[in-house]
Amino acid sequence: MAKKRVTLVTCAQYPNLSEDEAGLVDELNSRGVDARIAIWNDPEVDWEEAGVCVIRSVRDYAAHQEEFVQWAHQVPRLLNPADVVKWATDKHYLLQLEERGVPVIPTTWLQPEQKLNKHQVHTRFPASGEFVVKPAVSSGGREMGRYDANNGTARTAAITHAYSLLQEGRSVMVQRYLSQVDEHGEYSLVYMNGVLSHSVEKAAMLTNPNTTEVQADEEVTGNRQPKPEEWMFGEKVRSAIHSMIKDRLGHDQHLLFLRIDIVPDGKGSYYLMEVSPVDGSLYLRTREDGIATFADAICNRVFW
């Protein structure tokens, strides 16, 4: 009897997956699976023969979103499903989750079709304090900048940043920078097949608001036990995502993997920052059995 085939999908930058996922192929093979790795836009790959496909280190999707979504819809057995990929690669999904009662960071949305000039972009920034500018389609904090509204040089850089993205036909998000990120960091809750696997604490990615350079610092992660209120908030977000996917996309299965990023709101609760059911790191190396746990989650779907 032929083994079940699993293809772990990556990009050319990470032909052997990311460092966080090293050993995943061996773990899958040890469970009786024929596991392999393929680059999503490699024309030599026959996706009809790829078996169950699991998206992992596809860090370049934001630069090729339309092509990536088209590819996803051509893969017969994709986890997470192609409709979820389309939904989750554009952060306008935050508006939909907000409609379902999920608290999200207050956001001003700038759209290319508004045809805003630089002055109009400027008027949509906060009058004081720090704020963040980022594209609605992005991966891993790329093309994101933190700016001080009271610093002329930084504000000019923010205008240039946002205007350049709009000129490229890309939607822009403007969010007030939360001091809680510096004080407490961000928390990532990682789910596998609908069950919380582990929680990670991350240091602030954007550390310098007074610069003309848009640069995200490397994340620092550490495994942690989530507080009960964090778990409850994560469950609220996960439930909202699951119900939305069921209602709008027709999928009733739990997602194979889902990362929910949250930050304290300074009022005793949390804001949702973003969700990652596509390429986001699952921080498997922050727990001793992380690779094995993910391999088990994949096999549960393969042999289901």
Side-chain angles (χ1 to χ4, degrees):
M1 182 177 177
K3 291 183 177 181
K4 297 279 189 178
R5 179 170 296 173
V6 173
T7 298
L8 303 171
V9 183
T10 186
C11 64
Q13 183 182 357
Y14 297 98
N16 297 308
L17 303 181
S18 69
E19 182 179 352
D20 186 58
E21 296 152 340
L24 183 55
V25 170
D26 292 340
E27 284 287 343
L28 288 168
N29 286 334
S30 72
R31 288 158 173 74
V33 171
D34 175 17
R36 26 186 100 182
I37 301 172
I39 295 171
W40 73 272
N41 53 0
D42 181 350
E44 300 299 319
V45 177
D46 183 352
W47 297 103
E48 293 287 342
E49 300 296 325
V52 175
C53 295
V54 179
I55 298 175
R56 286 317 313 130
S57 310
V58 183
R59 302 291 188 261
D60 62 350
Y61 81 75
H64 312 278
Q65 188 211 15
E66 289 187 12
E67 181 184 355
F68 182 63
V69 170
Q70 289 174 2
W71 164 83
H73 279 93
Q74 294 169 2
V75 178
R77 297 190 64 192
L78 183 66
L79 299 176
N80 292 314
D83 288 340
V84 173
V85 170
K86 180 179 180 180
W87 173 77
T89 52
D90 187 328
K91 291 182 179 60
H92 280 90
Y93 64 70
L94 291 170
L95 294 170
Q96 298 170 6
L97 293 177
E98 189 174 27
E99 289 175 357
R100 291 181 178 248
V102 175
V104 304
I105 298 176
T107 302
T108 298
W109 298 84
L110 311 182
Q111 308 293 358
E113 55 268 25
Q114 293 175 294
K115 299 188 181 304
L116 302 174
N117 58 37
K118 288 187 176 182
H119 175 72
Q120 291 169 322
V121 169
H122 162 78
T123 62
R124 283 158 174 79
F125 290 163
S128 62
E130 296 181 8
F131 62 97
V132 172
V133 172
K134 58 185 175 183
V137 178
S138 63
S139 173
R142 296 166 183 84
E143 300 180 282
M144 178 169 66
R146 171 182 172 185
Y147 302 100
D148 185 344
N150 301 110
N151 180 288
T153 301
R155 195 174 184 94
T156 299
I159 294 169
T160 300
H161 180 190
Y163 187 74
S164 296
L165 292 171
L166 291 169
Q167 290 299 106
E168 294 171 6
R170 303 170 69 184
S171 298
V172 175
M173 304 168 65
V174 180
Q175 299 176 324
R176 184 171 295 282
Y177 188 80
L178 301 177
S179 61
Q180 293 90 326
V181 176
D182 289 335
E183 296 168 8
H184 306 288
E186 305 171 18
Y187 306 138
S188 289
L189 305 173
V190 178
Y191 296 80
M192 297 183 188
N193 289 327
V195 178
L196 180 64
S197 169
H198 54 283
S199 173
V200 167
E201 182 175 354
K202 302 184 292 185
M205 292 181 66
L206 295 167
T207 58
N208 186 3
N210 296 322
T211 179
T212 57
E213 296 181 5
V214 179
Q215 180 176 345
D217 293 339
E218 185 177 359
E219 296 175 86
V220 179
T221 62
N223 202 295
R224 62 190 294 277
Q225 183 67 30
K227 297 177 181 178
E229 55 267 30
E230 294 167 16
W231 180 86
M232 291 177 63
F233 187 86
E235 282 299 305
K236 179 177 182 176
V237 177
R238 188 200 59 77
S239 178
I241 293 171
H242 182 73
S243 65
M244 194 218 65
I245 290 173
K246 180 180 178 181
D247 293 347
R248 299 194 180 191
L249 306 181
H251 298 292
D252 196 22
Q253 286 186 324
H254 289 294
L255 299 176
L256 169 62
F257 60 89
L258 171 66
R259 196 186 85 204
I260 297 175
D261 294 346
I262 67 175
V263 62
D265 65 0
K267 305 172 186 176
S269 188
Y270 300 89
Y271 283 128
L272 173 65
M273 298 191 74
E274 62 179 69
V275 300
S276 301
V278 183
D279 79 315
S281 174
L282 302 180
Y283 307 112
L284 300 174
R285 292 291 171 182
T286 64
R287 55 176 289 179
E288 186 175 348
D289 60 347
I291 294 291
T293 300
F294 191 39
D296 287 340
I298 293 172
C299 288
N300 284 341
R301 299 296 285 271
V302 171
F303 295 111
W304 197 5

